[in-house]
Amino acid sequence: WAGSAFDYGFLLHTSEEATATVALNEYLSSRSYLAGFSPSRVDQEVFELLHRPPAPQHVHALRWYRHIAALQRGTPSPDSSIKGKRVQHPWSAPAGSNLPKLRLYNSLTRTKELFVPQNGNKVSWYCCGPTVYDASHMGHARSYISFDILRRILMNYFKYDVFYCMNITDIDDKIIRRARQNYLLEQYREKKPAAAQVLQDVLSARGPFQAKLAETTDPDKKQMLERLDSAVAAALGPLQGAVESKAGEADIQRLVLLEKAKDLLSDWLDAQFGSQVTENSIFSLLPKFWEGEYHNDMDALNVLPPDVLTRVSEYCPEIVDFVKKILDNGFGYESNGSVYFDTAKFATSQKHAYGKLVPEAVGDMKALQEGEGDLSVSADQLSEKRSQNDFALWKASKPGEPSWDSPWGKGRPGWHIECSAMAGSILGESMDIHGGGFDLRFPHHDNELAQSEAYFENDHWVRYFLHTGHLTIAGCKMSKSLKNFITIKDALAQNTARQLRLAFLMHSWKDTLDYSSNTMESAVHYEKFLNEFFLNVKDILRAPCDVTGQFEKWEAAEMELNESFYERKAAVHAALCDNVDTRSTMEEMRALVTQSNTYIASRKSSKLQPNRMLMKSIALYLTDMLKTFGAIEGTEPIGFPVGGDGCLQMETTVMPYLKVLSDFRESVRKIAREQNVTEVLQLCDVVRNDTLPELGVRLEDHEGLPTVVKLVDKETLLRERNEKKKMEDEKKNKKEEAAKKKQEQELAKLAKMKISPCDMFRSETDKYSSFDETGFPTHDVEGKDLSKGQTKKLRKLHEAQEKLHQEYLQTNQNGC
């Protein structure tokens, strides 16, 4: 306290204590005195002037007195009511421990970097979307499910405010060629050419196709082309025969050949008539259709839609302006109606660098050619460039291609420029995250970086580049061009969206993922493992109890499981901080469920209920994590939804009725067992094994414990029932086979027992020629005496048979 702020030193000159008290009270009535933590010198002197606390009517003075008395350290109070009061003990903050911080694998540095958004908690994110010219396949799913998982974790777990932008490429060489070929092939089919004409055209188309096949060196592509050629050859023969014989089946064979040879015919028709296709609308119908299919696939996979979706066709004016600015900044040049990026000038610029992501790939002509697009690679166009490393920002349109107006003439955007212009328009001069597939690093993303940094005149257009790993099919490379891809619709016909997502979660987002039966089988087993745990916890929570009964005493088992629970949560957090390691996360969750199952089993084996609140906490945590990953939809607090969309509350609605049915059945079973009424017990089993599974209900009977009721997908229960029946049938067949084998052995033994020792060797004339009076052999088939060794061995067999025959005779005698 400052004495100047509380200037009541005049009280020191007042000798009468009562008068001083009144004056002090009046002075403090209009002033605050609670402004510090230690008394000033004046406070101390006035306090010592008063020998006792002020009377209660002097409220302000009394409060001040008590406040000063409380601040006195070691100073005894003259009032007994103050005596013994202690000042508050000093407090020190705990040291705590350092929590892991999120690190992401940044392709720009090829290492895990601490993630630091540029603008507080907001994360700006651009993702390269699909080129929509065909059905979306599992390669697309690899990127989009993986990025959806990363996005959800950043938003829902790390609580970042993510702004997610994605593009649709609807102007592209592949789209142009495919749209043109589809149009020309459809026109060809509409003309309904005669069988002989189709035969002639396919033979004409096969020539350049086979020349292309001969030039192909890539083994995978060559194998694909060979399969295509073989299919065409197989369809050519029957049509040739039908045409020559003028058979009526020529029209059927014509349609077969048209279907088998559509790729050959498309290329052949395009080479002849492609330049005549000029209407822009022809090139928009194909991408519009496949974009719609893509969105349907993403919805089916539970992939969140982007906050902003950009299409190249809608951004041509912005792309033209973007190219102008690059030219103005000195990093581009016009050549014959096209505009190219000057990689040499950019690379030698003091504040820029070319090839940040894959510097070792700069100059790779194969990669550069793929980046430029097949339609743009020709000797003429290569000569237009100052360097073979330069790439097109704007392409002059040729006949048979769509076009847009520009200062350099009719043309269309280059592949790389579209992302730069669209991302720049939405996210500005620098973004936090740019995502895409691993194969886009060079040249696409390296060229994106170069032209964007040339436009914005900076060196940090992207802070973190995230690239998802490849997807293989049973160990083989998947590619549309190789025609070995699996569409998302095909994949969803085999497995659910949740199972596909679990498979992705069980692998690192940045490593190669092999889509195979083994991969999906592991995901299906994981889902079933989790689902059984959730169903068991729900059953535990349904056990009747009052409000206070839900809080049970914790023993050593609960303390141990709870400690492990918190260790697992910490391990999950560390894994997610470590480059969003969902693979380790899923293993930690699996371990937690395993420990919980062990705890539940031990309690039930002791005829005790597991601790409700502990089980609920674990199940809620696991459910919340799966919701965070996008593996659970709906509002149910625990486990997977039952009944699909629109039936998310089904469990809450029907379970009370099922519980009544279960309890009634259990009472009936108890009476039936006591009175040994097997027919009633069999009917109870029919309800459990046949009736309820058809309704998606599983009953689990446990000796000495209440029946467990679980709602499970009907298909799952029927599959389980069929598998169980199959196992029972196999077990029954094995039992019958064993019984049959045993019976055959017994019959064989009986037949052997019936044989008298005198006759056992006499029938073996191929081995022996002479026998003694007991039927024992003395000479072999050649008339030679048997050796001592042979005789000794045969004597043992003779004695054993004699004993066996005596046993048979004895049994028959007793039976008589």
Side-chain angles (χ1 to χ4, degrees), residues 55 58 89 154 213 271 350 358 365 378 408-409 450 524 548 577 773:
H58 305 306
H89 188 74
L154 259 64
L213 173 59
Q350 193 168 8
V358 196
M365 287 310 299
S378 66
W408 317 286
V524 171
T548 60
C577 286
E773 64 278 4

Side-chain angles (χ1 to χ4, degrees), residues 21 30 43 61 183 215 217 232 267 280 304 308 367 415 446 482 528 594 599 604 658 665 710 763 780 804 808:
T21 300
S30 61
D43 284 317
Y183 173 76
E215 294 170 0
T217 56
V232 171
D267 283 341
N280 268 15
L304 293 172
V308 178
W415 176 31
D446 262 327
L482 298 179
K528 185 177 180 181
T594 299
Y599 164 77
K604 289 195 171 183
L658 291 174
R665 174 179 168 275
K710 296 178 179 178
S763 61
D780 62 18
L804 198 64
Y808 167 73

Side-chain angles (χ1 to χ4, degrees), residues 706-762:
T707 298
V708 175
V709 185
K710 296 178 179 178
L711 285 181
V712 186
D713 290 331
K714 176 183 173 181
E715 291 75 15
T716 302
L717 289 177
L718 295 181
R719 186 169 59 250
E720 288 177 356
R721 187 176 71 182
N722 292 337
E723 289 173 356
K724 183 179 179 182
K725 187 176 184 306
K726 184 180 177 182
M727 290 176 65
E728 288 174 350
D729 290 344
E730 288 176 355
K731 188 176 179 182
K732 181 181 176 182
N733 291 337
K734 285 182 180 179
K735 191 174 181 180
E736 289 176 351
E737 287 176 9
K740 184 180 178 182
K741 188 175 181 180
K742 184 178 180 182
Q743 185 181 18
E744 289 173 351
Q745 289 173 342
E746 288 175 351
L747 289 172
K749 182 180 178 183
L750 180 63
K752 187 177 181 182
M753 289 173 74
K754 288 180 180 180
I755 300 173
S756 168
C758 298
D759 300 327
M760 66 178 296
F761 293 121
R762 289 187 187 276

Side-chain angles (χ1 to χ4, degrees), residues 59-320:
V59 176
H60 304 293
L62 180 60
R63 285 180 180 169
W64 169 84
Y65 186 89
R66 287 177 174 169
H67 184 64
I68 301 302
L71 293 175
Q72 298 294 316
R73 293 183 180 277
T75 303
S77 171
D79 181 25
S80 59
S81 66
I82 303 295
K83 270 187 179 178
K85 283 194 175 181
R86 292 181 173 82
V87 296
Q88 194 165 10
H89 188 74
W91 176 86
S92 59
S97 57
N98 292 325
L99 283 173
K101 294 181 180 179
L102 174 61
R103 293 179 181 275
L104 296 175
Y105 184 88
N106 188 356
S107 297
L108 285 164
T109 62
R110 302 190 189 184
T111 190
K112 296 172 189 176
E113 302 287 359
L114 183 66
F115 181 61
V116 183
Q118 299 174 99
N119 184 17
N121 201 47
K122 181 181 177 182
V123 174
S124 54
W125 188 336
Y126 179 82
C127 182
C128 277
T131 301
V132 282
Y133 70 100
D134 206 338
S136 298
H137 54 65
M138 285 303 292
H140 295 129
R142 171 57 171 145
S143 282
Y144 302 127
I145 293 179
S146 295
F147 281 132
D148 187 65
I149 291 169
L150 288 173
R151 179 185 175 190
R152 288 172 182 268
I153 290 172
L154 259 64
M155 290 192 307
N156 302 330
Y157 186 86
F158 290 105
K159 305 301 180 184
Y160 286 111
D161 184 7
V162 177
F163 182 63
Y164 194 82
C165 176
M166 191 188 80
N167 80 296
I168 293 286
T169 296
D170 59 354
I171 301 172
D172 171 83
D173 286 3
K174 294 185 182 73
I175 293 172
I176 293 169
R177 183 193 296 106
R178 180 69 61 86
R180 203 167 57 204
Q181 290 180 346
N182 287 354
Y183 173 76
L184 292 170
L185 184 62
E186 188 60 30
Q187 278 196 325
Y188 181 84
R189 282 173 166 163
E190 285 178 0
K191 291 176 182 176
K192 295 183 180 179
Q197 184 65 50
V198 171
L199 182 62
Q200 181 183 335
D201 290 343
V202 170
L203 289 171
S204 299
R206 199 178 179 203
F209 177 82
Q210 289 184 323
K212 177 183 174 183
L213 173 59
E215 294 170 0
T216 302
T217 56
D218 182 277
D220 292 329
K221 193 167 185 179
K222 193 175 188 71
Q223 189 178 38
M224 182 272 292
L225 294 175
E226 286 171 346
R227 284 198 304 268
L228 184 56
D229 190 55
S230 298
V232 171
L236 273 170
L239 182 58
Q240 283 175 323
V243 169
E244 289 169 4
S245 64
K246 298 183 180 180
E249 62 181 24
D251 196 54
I252 296 173
Q253 298 301 332
R254 176 183 72 89
L255 295 175
V256 171
L257 181 60
L258 269 176
E259 180 60 28
K260 296 294 183 183
K262 62 182 179 182
D263 289 336
L264 281 71
L265 276 173
S266 294
D267 283 341
W268 181 69
L269 290 168
D270 192 36
Q272 287 185 293
F273 310 110
S275 61
Q276 299 173 18
V277 180
T278 56
E279 179 58 47
N280 268 15
S281 62
I282 293 171
F283 301 100
S284 63
L285 293 174
L286 179 80
K288 186 174 182 180
F289 172 80
W290 286 117
E291 183 191 334
E293 291 295 293
Y294 165 80
H295 291 309
N296 291 337
D297 288 339
M298 293 302 104
D299 187 53
L301 290 172
N302 192 29
V303 170
L304 293 172
D307 296 307
V308 178
L309 183 77
T310 61
R311 299 180 185 89
V312 182
S313 60
E314 299 171 347
Y315 274 78
C316 285
E318 288 85 351
I319 291 171
V320 169

